Amino acid sequence: AARAPVVAARPAMFPSRAVELALARAAEQELGLDLSVTGVAECSPELSEIEAEAGEHALLEGAEGASGILVLSAPVLGAVVAQRMTGRVPAQATPPRAPTRIDAEIARGLIDRTLAVLGASLDGQAALRWAVGFRYRGSLPDKRLIRFSLPEGRFHGFRLTLRLAGGAAEGTVFLALPEIPAPAV
């Protein structure tokens, strides 16, 4: 009798590791940018903590109208913009400046690809359905609007410390996605 082939189930991935891999893979695929995650911390931030963390931020929209936020520090956003515009990150840091909506639009491809890779890597794990289906919706002109843009409730948060382009830039990314309750059976 013929034996049925053994199909190996994809091993479960920790969310913090999935975020780390998604960001590095997206930077390479979307921008050809060498991005190393040197630290990642998972947290459960309150809305007030998210507001305090926000600076240069992008509003995310997910399944069932849920909203989250992704914050790129100025050095990370500057490196993404430089890589997209010139194909390289300058060896010397450029003077900090206020980010613009154009900067956020330039970073859209990286953000969307990161979220897609993250969602694909965690899809199928019922307990992690909160990470699936998000995409870039836009930037907020004022961080005080975060309170009105994000839902009340619990969030899954990740703080990543990055090294870009072999050390030409270093910075952080903060991602907060709302907890989405499991559907009623």
Side-chain angles (χ1 to χ4, degrees), residues 18 23 29 33-35 46 49 82-83 91 96 120 126 129 134 142 150-151 153 175 179:
L23 186 57
Q29 292 173 346
L33 178 62
D34 173 38
L35 180 150
E46 300 289 329
E49 293 173 88
Q83 182 73 20
R129 67 185 284 275
F134 279 88
D142 187 333
L150 297 179
L175 173 64
E179 186 172 286

Side-chain angles (χ1 to χ4, degrees), residues 48-171:
S48 60
E49 293 173 88
I50 295 170
E51 286 177 315
E53 186 82 36
E56 300 80 34
H57 47 274
L59 190 61
L60 311 174
E61 183 173 55
E64 303 167 25
S67 294
I69 194 161
L70 184 127
V71 181
L72 302 172
S73 68
V76 172
L77 183 59
V80 168
V81 170
Q83 182 73 20
R84 174 72 76 197
M85 300 300 289
T86 67
R88 66 179 189 81
V89 177
Q92 294 184 351
T94 57
R97 63 176 177 77
T100 66
R101 285 184 183 226
I102 293 171
D103 293 338
E105 287 298 319
I106 289 171
R108 174 190 288 270
L110 174 65
I111 294 167
D112 279 344
R113 188 172 300 249
T114 299
L115 295 168
V117 171
L118 173 63
S121 67
L122 297 176
D123 194 19
Q125 297 181 52
L128 303 176
R129 67 185 284 275
W130 52 264
V132 178
F134 279 88
R135 63 181 172 75
Y136 176 88
R137 186 171 85 194
S139 62
L140 293 171
D142 187 333
K143 76 178 190 176
R144 292 176 293 188
L145 296 175
I146 290 171
R147 180 164 298 281
F148 304 108
S149 301
L150 297 179
E152 292 290 329
R154 296 177 49 124
F155 285 84
H156 299 275
F158 304 89
R159 286 183 181 87
L160 297 97
T161 306
L162 310 177
R163 182 180 166 112
L164 300 108
E170 294 182 352

Side-chain angles (χ1 to χ4, degrees), residues 15-21 23 37-43 157-162 173:
S16 58
R17 181 70 173 145
V19 170
E20 178 181 345
L21 293 173
L23 186 57
V37 177
T38 58
V40 60
E42 198 166 346
C43 57
F158 304 89
R159 286 183 181 87
L160 297 97
T161 306
L162 310 177
V173 170

